PDB file of all heavy atoms in Angstrom:
ATOM      1  N   ARG W   1      -4.875   3.781  25.122  1.00 77.00           N
ATOM      2  CA  ARG W   1      -5.101   3.780  23.603  1.00 77.00           C
ATOM      3  C   ARG W   1      -3.804   4.335  22.869  1.00 77.00           C
ATOM      4  O   ARG W   1      -3.322   3.708  21.927  1.00 77.00           O
ATOM      5  CB  ARG W   1      -6.277   4.582  23.148  1.00 77.00           C
ATOM      6  CG  ARG W   1      -6.635   4.373  21.690  1.00 77.00           C
ATOM      7  CD  ARG W   1      -8.034   4.860  21.487  1.00 77.00           C
ATOM      8  NE  ARG W   1      -8.224   6.237  21.620  1.00 77.00           N
ATOM      9  CZ  ARG W   1      -9.143   6.788  22.545  1.00 77.00           C
ATOM     10  NH1 ARG W   1      -9.820   5.928  23.394  1.00 77.00           N
ATOM     11  NH2 ARG W   1      -9.264   7.997  22.661  1.00 77.00           N
ATOM     12  N   VAL W   2      -3.250   5.457  23.403  1.00 81.00           N
ATOM     13  CA  VAL W   2      -2.094   6.056  22.798  1.00 81.00           C
ATOM     14  C   VAL W   2      -0.843   5.206  23.060  1.00 81.00           C
ATOM     15  O   VAL W   2       0.163   5.495  22.395  1.00 81.00           O
ATOM     16  CB  VAL W   2      -1.891   7.554  23.245  1.00 81.00           C
ATOM     17  CG1 VAL W   2      -3.038   8.401  22.788  1.00 81.00           C
ATOM     18  CG2 VAL W   2      -1.645   7.604  24.632  1.00 81.00           C
ATOM     19  N   ALA W   3      -0.964   4.334  23.963  1.00 82.00           N
ATOM     20  CA  ALA W   3       0.152   3.507  24.179  1.00 82.00           C
ATOM     21  C   ALA W   3       0.083   2.190  23.313  1.00 82.00           C
ATOM     22  O   ALA W   3       0.920   1.253  23.430  1.00 82.00           O
ATOM     23  CB  ALA W   3       0.147   2.997  25.744  1.00 82.00           C
ATOM     24  N   GLY W   4      -1.057   2.172  22.628  1.00 81.00           N
ATOM     25  CA  GLY W   4      -1.056   1.012  21.632  1.00 81.00           C
ATOM     26  C   GLY W   4      -2.294   0.191  21.603  1.00 81.00           C
ATOM     27  O   GLY W   4      -2.440  -0.642  20.657  1.00 81.00           O
ATOM     28  N   GLU W   5      -3.184   0.287  22.638  1.00 77.00           N
ATOM     29  CA  GLU W   5      -4.346  -0.589  22.627  1.00 77.00           C
ATOM     30  C   GLU W   5      -5.366  -0.035  21.607  1.00 77.00           C
ATOM     31  O   GLU W   5      -5.498   1.250  21.407  1.00 77.00           O
ATOM     32  CB  GLU W   5      -4.952  -0.491  24.050  1.00 77.00           C
ATOM     33  CG  GLU W   5      -4.097  -1.160  25.068  1.00 77.00           C
ATOM     34  CD  GLU W   5      -4.711  -1.275  26.438  1.00 77.00           C
ATOM     35  OE1 GLU W   5      -6.002  -1.107  26.445  1.00 77.00           O
ATOM     36  OE2 GLU W   5      -4.100  -1.538  27.416  1.00 77.00           O
ATOM     37  N   ALA W   6      -6.153  -0.924  21.054  1.00 71.00           N
ATOM     38  CA  ALA W   6      -7.159  -0.564  19.987  1.00 71.00           C
ATOM     39  C   ALA W   6      -8.381   0.027  20.593  1.00 71.00           C
ATOM     40  O   ALA W   6      -8.747  -0.312  21.758  1.00 71.00           O
ATOM     41  CB  ALA W   6      -7.526  -1.823  19.180  1.00 71.00           C
ATOM     42  N   TYR W   7      -8.926   0.952  19.843  1.00 61.00           N
ATOM     43  CA  TYR W   7     -10.266   1.461  20.399  1.00 61.00           C
ATOM     44  C   TYR W   7     -11.335   0.455  20.067  1.00 61.00           C
ATOM     45  O   TYR W   7     -11.399  -0.086  19.049  1.00 61.00           O
ATOM     46  CB  TYR W   7     -10.626   2.904  19.661  1.00 61.00           C
ATOM     47  CG  TYR W   7     -12.002   3.311  20.006  1.00 61.00           C
ATOM     48  CD1 TYR W   7     -12.287   3.838  21.214  1.00 61.00           C
ATOM     49  CD2 TYR W   7     -13.040   3.228  19.089  1.00 61.00           C
ATOM     50  CE1 TYR W   7     -13.563   4.273  21.614  1.00 61.00           C
ATOM     51  CE2 TYR W   7     -14.269   3.594  19.365  1.00 61.00           C
ATOM     52  CZ  TYR W   7     -14.609   4.162  20.588  1.00 61.00           C
ATOM     53  OH  TYR W   7     -15.948   4.507  20.862  1.00 61.00           O
ATOM     54  N   ALA W   8     -12.326   0.391  21.007  1.00 56.00           N
ATOM     55  CA  ALA W   8     -13.535  -0.524  20.783  1.00 56.00           C
ATOM     56  C   ALA W   8     -14.651   0.161  21.535  1.00 56.00           C
ATOM     57  O   ALA W   8     -14.540   1.038  22.383  1.00 56.00           O
ATOM     58  CB  ALA W   8     -13.221  -1.835  21.344  1.00 56.00           C
ATOM     59  N   ALA W   9     -15.905  -0.138  20.915  1.00 51.00           N
ATOM     60  CA  ALA W   9     -17.090   0.613  21.512  1.00 51.00           C
ATOM     61  C   ALA W   9     -17.364   0.151  23.002  1.00 51.00           C
ATOM     62  O   ALA W   9     -18.145   0.896  23.627  1.00 51.00           O
ATOM     63  CB  ALA W   9     -18.274   0.158  20.586  1.00 51.00           C
ATOM     64  N   GLY W  10     -16.783  -0.859  23.492  1.00 56.00           N
ATOM     65  CA  GLY W  10     -17.055  -1.301  24.845  1.00 56.00           C
ATOM     66  C   GLY W  10     -16.729  -0.328  25.893  1.00 56.00           C
ATOM     67  O   GLY W  10     -17.291  -0.371  27.011  1.00 56.00           O
ATOM     68  N   GLY W  11     -15.817   0.666  25.621  1.00 75.00           N
ATOM     69  CA  GLY W  11     -15.487   1.667  26.636  1.00 75.00           C
ATOM     70  C   GLY W  11     -16.648   2.513  26.995  1.00 75.00           C
ATOM     71  O   GLY W  11     -16.693   3.166  28.019  1.00 75.00           O
ATOM     72  N   ILE W  12     -17.652   2.457  26.182  1.00 81.00           N
ATOM     73  CA  ILE W  12     -18.890   3.327  26.423  1.00 81.00           C
ATOM     74  C   ILE W  12     -19.468   2.939  27.791  1.00 81.00           C
ATOM     75  O   ILE W  12     -20.028   3.747  28.501  1.00 81.00           O
ATOM     76  CB  ILE W  12     -19.804   3.195  25.332  1.00 81.00           C
ATOM     77  CG1 ILE W  12     -19.358   3.804  24.066  1.00 81.00           C
ATOM     78  CG2 ILE W  12     -21.249   3.728  25.703  1.00 81.00           C
ATOM     79  CD1 ILE W  12     -20.119   3.431  22.771  1.00 81.00           C
ATOM     80  N   ARG W  13     -19.376   1.671  28.124  1.00 82.00           N
ATOM     81  CA  ARG W  13     -19.984   1.151  29.374  1.00 82.00           C
ATOM     82  C   ARG W  13     -19.315   1.776  30.604  1.00 82.00           C
ATOM     83  O   ARG W  13     -20.104   1.935  31.701  1.00 82.00           O
ATOM     84  CB  ARG W  13     -19.961  -0.359  29.399  1.00 82.00           C
ATOM     85  CG  ARG W  13     -20.692  -1.067  28.355  1.00 82.00           C
ATOM     86  CD  ARG W  13     -20.632  -2.564  28.362  1.00 82.00           C
ATOM     87  NE  ARG W  13     -21.445  -3.154  27.358  1.00 82.00           N
ATOM     88  CZ  ARG W  13     -21.039  -3.432  26.103  1.00 82.00           C
ATOM     89  NH1 ARG W  13     -19.725  -3.291  25.876  1.00 82.00           N
ATOM     90  NH2 ARG W  13     -21.801  -4.030  25.252  1.00 82.00           N
ATOM     91  N   THR W  14     -18.139   2.235  30.505  1.00 85.00           N
ATOM     92  CA  THR W  14     -17.553   2.892  31.691  1.00 85.00           C
ATOM     93  C   THR W  14     -18.199   4.169  31.964  1.00 85.00           C
ATOM     94  O   THR W  14     -18.526   4.521  33.124  1.00 85.00           O
ATOM     95  CB  THR W  14     -16.048   3.184  31.263  1.00 85.00           C
ATOM     96  OG1 THR W  14     -15.343   1.997  31.031  1.00 85.00           O
ATOM     97  CG2 THR W  14     -15.416   3.853  32.541  1.00 85.00           C
ATOM     98  N   THR W  15     -18.531   4.905  30.971  1.00 92.00           N
ATOM     99  CA  THR W  15     -19.224   6.254  30.999  1.00 92.00           C
ATOM    100  C   THR W  15     -20.728   6.037  31.504  1.00 92.00           C
ATOM    101  O   THR W  15     -21.220   6.812  32.226  1.00 92.00           O
ATOM    102  CB  THR W  15     -19.231   6.971  29.805  1.00 92.00           C
ATOM    103  OG1 THR W  15     -17.841   7.249  29.434  1.00 92.00           O
ATOM    104  CG2 THR W  15     -19.965   8.323  29.960  1.00 92.00           C
ATOM    105  N   VAL W  16     -21.278   4.862  31.058  1.00 93.00           N
ATOM    106  CA  VAL W  16     -22.693   4.573  31.402  1.00 93.00           C
ATOM    107  C   VAL W  16     -22.753   4.427  32.917  1.00 93.00           C
ATOM    108  O   VAL W  16     -23.671   5.093  33.634  1.00 93.00           O
ATOM    109  CB  VAL W  16     -23.177   3.307  30.704  1.00 93.00           C
ATOM    110  CG1 VAL W  16     -24.449   2.789  31.383  1.00 93.00           C
ATOM    111  CG2 VAL W  16     -23.300   3.578  29.322  1.00 93.00           C
ATOM    112  N   ALA W  17     -21.790   3.712  33.576  1.00 92.00           N
ATOM    113  CA  ALA W  17     -21.863   3.520  35.059  1.00 92.00           C
ATOM    114  C   ALA W  17     -21.777   4.851  35.718  1.00 92.00           C
ATOM    115  O   ALA W  17     -22.519   5.094  36.674  1.00 92.00           O
ATOM    116  CB  ALA W  17     -20.761   2.620  35.470  1.00 92.00           C
ATOM    117  N   ALA W  18     -20.835   5.764  35.311  1.00 94.00           N
ATOM    118  CA  ALA W  18     -20.633   7.064  36.046  1.00 94.00           C
ATOM    119  C   ALA W  18     -21.890   7.903  35.797  1.00 94.00           C
ATOM    120  O   ALA W  18     -22.318   8.673  36.735  1.00 94.00           O
ATOM    121  CB  ALA W  18     -19.345   7.738  35.435  1.00 94.00           C
ATOM    122  N   THR W  19     -22.455   7.907  34.612  1.00 96.00           N
ATOM    123  CA  THR W  19     -23.519   8.782  34.246  1.00 96.00           C
ATOM    124  C   THR W  19     -24.845   8.252  35.055  1.00 96.00           C
ATOM    125  O   THR W  19     -25.534   9.199  35.519  1.00 96.00           O
ATOM    126  CB  THR W  19     -23.963   8.735  32.792  1.00 96.00           C
ATOM    127  OG1 THR W  19     -22.650   9.140  32.079  1.00 96.00           O
ATOM    128  CG2 THR W  19     -25.045   9.714  32.390  1.00 96.00           C
ATOM    129  N   ARG W  20     -25.038   7.029  35.181  1.00 97.00           N
ATOM    130  CA  ARG W  20     -26.180   6.557  35.984  1.00 97.00           C
ATOM    131  C   ARG W  20     -26.034   7.025  37.458  1.00 97.00           C
ATOM    132  O   ARG W  20     -27.137   7.379  38.085  1.00 97.00           O
ATOM    133  CB  ARG W  20     -26.259   5.057  35.974  1.00 97.00           C
ATOM    134  CG  ARG W  20     -26.712   4.438  34.656  1.00 97.00           C
ATOM    135  CD  ARG W  20     -26.718   2.962  34.625  1.00 97.00           C
ATOM    136  NE  ARG W  20     -27.239   2.354  33.381  1.00 97.00           N
ATOM    137  CZ  ARG W  20     -27.279   1.084  33.181  1.00 97.00           C
ATOM    138  NH1 ARG W  20     -27.003   0.238  34.181  1.00 97.00           N
ATOM    139  NH2 ARG W  20     -27.825   0.630  32.023  1.00 97.00           N
ATOM    140  N   ALA W  21     -24.834   7.101  37.970  1.00 97.00           N
ATOM    141  CA  ALA W  21     -24.594   7.458  39.339  1.00 97.00           C
ATOM    142  C   ALA W  21     -24.642   8.901  39.659  1.00 97.00           C
ATOM    143  O   ALA W  21     -24.781   9.363  40.810  1.00 97.00           O
ATOM    144  CB  ALA W  21     -23.253   6.883  39.826  1.00 97.00           C
ATOM    145  N   ALA W  22     -24.712   9.766  38.631  1.00 97.00           N
ATOM    146  CA  ALA W  22     -24.640  11.232  38.661  1.00 97.00           C
ATOM    147  C   ALA W  22     -26.068  11.795  38.943  1.00 97.00           C
ATOM    148  O   ALA W  22     -27.013  11.211  38.487  1.00 97.00           O
ATOM    149  CB  ALA W  22     -24.027  11.879  37.500  1.00 97.00           C
ATOM    150  N   SER W  23     -26.016  12.977  39.708  1.00 97.00           N
ATOM    151  CA  SER W  23     -27.374  13.595  39.835  1.00 97.00           C
ATOM    152  C   SER W  23     -27.696  14.453  38.563  1.00 97.00           C
ATOM    153  O   SER W  23     -26.869  14.664  37.741  1.00 97.00           O
ATOM    154  CB  SER W  23     -27.307  14.617  41.011  1.00 97.00           C
ATOM    155  OG  SER W  23     -26.405  15.615  40.710  1.00 97.00           O
ATOM    156  N   ASP W  24     -28.939  14.829  38.526  1.00 97.00           N
ATOM    157  CA  ASP W  24     -29.470  15.614  37.393  1.00 97.00           C
ATOM    158  C   ASP W  24     -28.662  16.915  37.462  1.00 97.00           C
ATOM    159  O   ASP W  24     -28.284  17.395  36.329  1.00 97.00           O
ATOM    160  CB  ASP W  24     -30.991  15.889  37.600  1.00 97.00           C
ATOM    161  CG  ASP W  24     -31.731  14.799  37.302  1.00 97.00           C
ATOM    162  OD1 ASP W  24     -31.314  13.580  37.161  1.00 97.00           O
ATOM    163  OD2 ASP W  24     -33.056  14.877  37.151  1.00 97.00           O
ATOM    164  N   GLU W  25     -28.403  17.453  38.613  1.00 98.00           N
ATOM    165  CA  GLU W  25     -27.725  18.770  38.661  1.00 98.00           C
ATOM    166  C   GLU W  25     -26.315  18.688  38.141  1.00 98.00           C
ATOM    167  O   GLU W  25     -25.751  19.518  37.504  1.00 98.00           O
ATOM    168  CB  GLU W  25     -27.858  19.198  40.146  1.00 98.00           C
ATOM    169  CG  GLU W  25     -29.096  19.611  40.602  1.00 98.00           C
ATOM    170  CD  GLU W  25     -29.947  18.373  40.972  1.00 98.00           C
ATOM    171  OE1 GLU W  25     -29.542  17.261  41.061  1.00 98.00           O
ATOM    172  OE2 GLU W  25     -31.277  18.562  41.031  1.00 98.00           O
ATOM    173  N   ASP W  26     -25.700  17.534  38.498  1.00 97.00           N
ATOM    174  CA  ASP W  26     -24.309  17.276  38.081  1.00 97.00           C
ATOM    175  C   ASP W  26     -24.281  17.210  36.554  1.00 97.00           C
ATOM    176  O   ASP W  26     -23.340  17.703  35.885  1.00 97.00           O
ATOM    177  CB  ASP W  26     -23.632  16.098  38.757  1.00 97.00           C
ATOM    178  CG  ASP W  26     -23.226  16.386  40.215  1.00 97.00           C
ATOM    179  OD1 ASP W  26     -23.282  17.562  40.653  1.00 97.00           O
ATOM    180  OD2 ASP W  26     -23.107  15.340  40.994  1.00 97.00           O
ATOM    181  N   LEU W  27     -25.213  16.405  35.962  1.00 98.00           N
ATOM    182  CA  LEU W  27     -25.180  16.270  34.521  1.00 98.00           C
ATOM    183  C   LEU W  27     -25.397  17.574  33.819  1.00 98.00           C
ATOM    184  O   LEU W  27     -24.822  17.917  32.853  1.00 98.00           O
ATOM    185  CB  LEU W  27     -26.274  15.316  34.129  1.00 98.00           C
ATOM    186  CG  LEU W  27     -25.928  13.752  34.541  1.00 98.00           C
ATOM    187  CD1 LEU W  27     -27.295  12.934  34.147  1.00 98.00           C
ATOM    188  CD2 LEU W  27     -24.801  13.307  33.950  1.00 98.00           C
ATOM    189  N   ALA W  28     -26.378  18.352  34.334  1.00 98.00           N
ATOM    190  CA  ALA W  28     -26.693  19.633  33.748  1.00 98.00           C
ATOM    191  C   ALA W  28     -25.526  20.574  33.761  1.00 98.00           C
ATOM    192  O   ALA W  28     -25.189  21.280  33.023  1.00 98.00           O
ATOM    193  CB  ALA W  28     -27.986  20.347  34.358  1.00 98.00           C
ATOM    194  N   ALA W  29     -24.773  20.584  35.001  1.00 98.00           N
ATOM    195  CA  ALA W  29     -23.593  21.461  35.171  1.00 98.00           C
ATOM    196  C   ALA W  29     -22.503  20.995  34.137  1.00 98.00           C
ATOM    197  O   ALA W  29     -21.857  21.855  33.530  1.00 98.00           O
ATOM    198  CB  ALA W  29     -23.027  21.299  36.584  1.00 98.00           C
ATOM    199  N   GLY W  30     -22.439  19.777  33.833  1.00 98.00           N
ATOM    200  CA  GLY W  30     -21.453  19.275  32.843  1.00 98.00           C
ATOM    201  C   GLY W  30     -21.802  19.742  31.474  1.00 98.00           C
ATOM    202  O   GLY W  30     -20.874  20.210  30.695  1.00 98.00           O
ATOM    203  N   VAL W  31     -23.073  19.636  31.121  1.00 98.00           N
ATOM    204  CA  VAL W  31     -23.484  20.123  29.731  1.00 98.00           C
ATOM    205  C   VAL W  31     -23.290  21.594  29.662  1.00 98.00           C
ATOM    206  O   VAL W  31     -22.740  22.133  28.602  1.00 98.00           O
ATOM    207  CB  VAL W  31     -24.994  19.724  29.534  1.00 98.00           C
ATOM    208  CG1 VAL W  31     -25.340  20.364  28.148  1.00 98.00           C
ATOM    209  CG2 VAL W  31     -25.189  18.289  29.579  1.00 98.00           C
ATOM    210  N   ALA W  32     -23.604  22.374  30.747  1.00 98.00           N
ATOM    211  CA  ALA W  32     -23.438  23.820  30.648  1.00 98.00           C
ATOM    212  C   ALA W  32     -21.960  24.209  30.439  1.00 98.00           C
ATOM    213  O   ALA W  32     -21.666  25.085  29.680  1.00 98.00           O
ATOM    214  CB  ALA W  32     -23.961  24.444  31.942  1.00 98.00           C
ATOM    215  N   ARG W  33     -21.095  23.462  31.106  1.00 98.00           N
ATOM    216  CA  ARG W  33     -19.647  23.782  31.028  1.00 98.00           C
ATOM    217  C   ARG W  33     -19.161  23.527  29.570  1.00 98.00           C
ATOM    218  O   ARG W  33     -18.512  24.321  28.995  1.00 98.00           O
ATOM    219  CB  ARG W  33     -18.922  22.892  31.987  1.00 98.00           C
ATOM    220  CG  ARG W  33     -17.363  23.157  31.950  1.00 98.00           C
ATOM    221  CD  ARG W  33     -16.696  22.432  33.035  1.00 98.00           C
ATOM    222  NE  ARG W  33     -16.729  20.920  32.968  1.00 98.00           N
ATOM    223  CZ  ARG W  33     -17.500  20.042  33.581  1.00 98.00           C
ATOM    224  NH1 ARG W  33     -18.335  20.487  34.490  1.00 98.00           N
ATOM    225  NH2 ARG W  33     -17.516  18.846  33.332  1.00 98.00           N
ATOM    226  N   HIS W  34     -19.554  22.470  29.007  1.00 98.00           N
ATOM    227  CA  HIS W  34     -19.238  22.130  27.662  1.00 98.00           C
ATOM    228  C   HIS W  34     -19.883  23.027  26.562  1.00 98.00           C
ATOM    229  O   HIS W  34     -19.229  23.394  25.627  1.00 98.00           O
ATOM    230  CB  HIS W  34     -19.597  20.646  27.305  1.00 98.00           C
ATOM    231  CG  HIS W  34     -18.511  19.683  28.120  1.00 98.00           C
ATOM    232  ND1 HIS W  34     -18.923  18.998  29.187  1.00 98.00           N
ATOM    233  CD2 HIS W  34     -17.275  19.379  27.911  1.00 98.00           C
ATOM    234  CE1 HIS W  34     -17.905  18.320  29.719  1.00 98.00           C
ATOM    235  NE2 HIS W  34     -16.889  18.459  28.800  1.00 98.00           N
ATOM    236  N   VAL W  35     -21.105  23.382  26.824  1.00 98.00           N
ATOM    237  CA  VAL W  35     -21.703  24.334  25.844  1.00 98.00           C
ATOM    238  C   VAL W  35     -21.084  25.676  25.870  1.00 98.00           C
ATOM    239  O   VAL W  35     -20.855  26.325  24.772  1.00 98.00           O
ATOM    240  CB  VAL W  35     -23.282  24.396  26.098  1.00 98.00           C
ATOM    241  CG1 VAL W  35     -23.879  25.546  25.250  1.00 98.00           C
ATOM    242  CG2 VAL W  35     -23.907  23.132  25.808  1.00 98.00           C
ATOM    243  N   GLU W  36     -20.716  26.139  27.006  1.00 98.00           N
ATOM    244  CA  GLU W  36     -20.019  27.406  27.144  1.00 98.00           C
ATOM    245  C   GLU W  36     -18.601  27.301  26.456  1.00 98.00           C
ATOM    246  O   GLU W  36     -18.160  28.255  25.783  1.00 98.00           O
ATOM    247  CB  GLU W  36     -19.874  27.807  28.565  1.00 98.00           C
ATOM    248  CG  GLU W  36     -19.090  29.098  28.777  1.00 98.00           C
ATOM    249  CD  GLU W  36     -19.605  30.261  28.072  1.00 98.00           C
ATOM    250  OE1 GLU W  36     -20.816  30.383  27.712  1.00 98.00           O
ATOM    251  OE2 GLU W  36     -18.740  31.219  27.711  1.00 98.00           O
ATOM    252  N   GLU W  37     -17.963  26.171  26.692  1.00 97.00           N
ATOM    253  CA  GLU W  37     -16.669  25.885  26.086  1.00 97.00           C
ATOM    254  C   GLU W  37     -16.838  25.975  24.566  1.00 97.00           C
ATOM    255  O   GLU W  37     -16.010  26.613  23.772  1.00 97.00           O
ATOM    256  CB  GLU W  37     -16.180  24.554  26.563  1.00 97.00           C
ATOM    257  CG  GLU W  37     -14.765  24.160  26.122  1.00 97.00           C
ATOM    258  CD  GLU W  37     -14.302  22.812  26.795  1.00 97.00           C
ATOM    259  OE1 GLU W  37     -13.972  22.758  27.868  1.00 97.00           O
ATOM    260  OE2 GLU W  37     -14.511  21.837  25.950  1.00 97.00           O
ATOM    261  N   MET W  38     -17.924  25.340  23.936  1.00 98.00           N
ATOM    262  CA  MET W  38     -18.111  25.471  22.587  1.00 98.00           C
ATOM    263  C   MET W  38     -18.419  26.791  22.101  1.00 98.00           C
ATOM    264  O   MET W  38     -17.909  27.324  20.995  1.00 98.00           O
ATOM    265  CB  MET W  38     -19.320  24.539  22.202  1.00 98.00           C
ATOM    266  CG  MET W  38     -19.107  23.038  22.354  1.00 98.00           C
ATOM    267  SD  MET W  38     -20.592  22.141  22.045  1.00 98.00           S
ATOM    268  CE  MET W  38     -19.899  20.439  21.671  1.00 98.00           C
ATOM    269  N   ARG W  39     -19.164  27.509  22.872  1.00 98.00           N
ATOM    270  CA  ARG W  39     -19.549  28.896  22.560  1.00 98.00           C
ATOM    271  C   ARG W  39     -18.360  29.874  22.396  1.00 98.00           C
ATOM    272  O   ARG W  39     -18.283  30.650  21.476  1.00 98.00           O
ATOM    273  CB  ARG W  39     -20.459  29.538  23.569  1.00 98.00           C
ATOM    274  CG  ARG W  39     -21.093  30.809  23.331  1.00 98.00           C
ATOM    275  CD  ARG W  39     -22.099  30.857  22.127  1.00 98.00           C
ATOM    276  NE  ARG W  39     -23.058  29.830  22.242  1.00 98.00           N
ATOM    277  CZ  ARG W  39     -24.135  29.823  22.895  1.00 98.00           C
ATOM    278  NH1 ARG W  39     -24.435  30.797  23.687  1.00 98.00           N
ATOM    279  NH2 ARG W  39     -24.981  28.762  22.955  1.00 98.00           N
ATOM    280  N   ARG W  40     -17.327  29.657  23.270  1.00 97.00           N
ATOM    281  CA  ARG W  40     -16.125  30.449  23.228  1.00 97.00           C
ATOM    282  C   ARG W  40     -15.361  30.149  21.979  1.00 97.00           C
ATOM    283  O   ARG W  40     -14.588  30.968  21.539  1.00 97.00           O
ATOM    284  CB  ARG W  40     -15.193  30.087  24.507  1.00 97.00           C
ATOM    285  CG  ARG W  40     -15.853  30.690  25.733  1.00 97.00           C
ATOM    286  CD  ARG W  40     -14.707  30.783  26.778  1.00 97.00           C
ATOM    287  NE  ARG W  40     -14.203  29.492  27.099  1.00 97.00           N
ATOM    288  CZ  ARG W  40     -14.532  28.666  28.056  1.00 97.00           C
ATOM    289  NH1 ARG W  40     -15.634  28.915  28.691  1.00 97.00           N
ATOM    290  NH2 ARG W  40     -13.933  27.430  28.145  1.00 97.00           N
ATOM    291  N   GLN W  41     -15.716  28.996  21.318  1.00 98.00           N
ATOM    292  CA  GLN W  41     -14.921  28.615  20.144  1.00 98.00           C
ATOM    293  C   GLN W  41     -15.778  28.839  18.876  1.00 98.00           C
ATOM    294  O   GLN W  41     -15.400  28.257  17.817  1.00 98.00           O
ATOM    295  CB  GLN W  41     -14.348  27.192  20.316  1.00 98.00           C
ATOM    296  CG  GLN W  41     -13.424  27.002  21.434  1.00 98.00           C
ATOM    297  CD  GLN W  41     -13.049  25.539  21.645  1.00 98.00           C
ATOM    298  OE1 GLN W  41     -12.100  25.066  21.067  1.00 98.00           O
ATOM    299  NE2 GLN W  41     -13.823  24.866  22.476  1.00 98.00           N
ATOM    300  N   GLY W  42     -16.952  29.473  19.021  1.00 98.00           N
ATOM    301  CA  GLY W  42     -17.695  29.882  17.825  1.00 98.00           C
ATOM    302  C   GLY W  42     -18.842  28.962  17.532  1.00 98.00           C
ATOM    303  O   GLY W  42     -19.580  29.280  16.553  1.00 98.00           O
ATOM    304  N   THR W  43     -19.155  27.896  18.323  1.00 98.00           N
ATOM    305  CA  THR W  43     -20.249  27.119  18.009  1.00 98.00           C
ATOM    306  C   THR W  43     -21.542  27.775  18.594  1.00 98.00           C
ATOM    307  O   THR W  43     -21.600  28.087  19.832  1.00 98.00           O
ATOM    308  CB  THR W  43     -20.080  25.718  18.630  1.00 98.00           C
ATOM    309  OG1 THR W  43     -19.061  25.075  18.009  1.00 98.00           O
ATOM    310  CG2 THR W  43     -21.367  24.802  18.488  1.00 98.00           C
TER     311      THR W  43
END
């Protein structure tokens, strides 16, 4: 994208494939990591 390609909503499907393949534990660990990252920045 930063090389010049336009953003489109279709890229969401890439994350859909990875998310479907992940375990519940891996998904929860990712949320925990990002929530803690937010917390350190005041959210």
Side-chain angles (χ1 to χ4, degrees):
R1 189 164 66 243
V2 297
E5 294 184 16
Y7 172 72
I12 293 167
R13 296 183 179 89
T14 302
T15 301
V16 169
T19 303
R20 288 179 177 180
S23 68
D24 290 9
E25 293 75 17
D26 286 343
L27 292 177
V31 177
R33 183 173 66 255
H34 288 101
V35 168
E36 176 57 27
E37 189 176 277
M38 289 177 164
R39 186 68 49 81
R40 292 196 302 269
Q41 298 174 91
T43 295

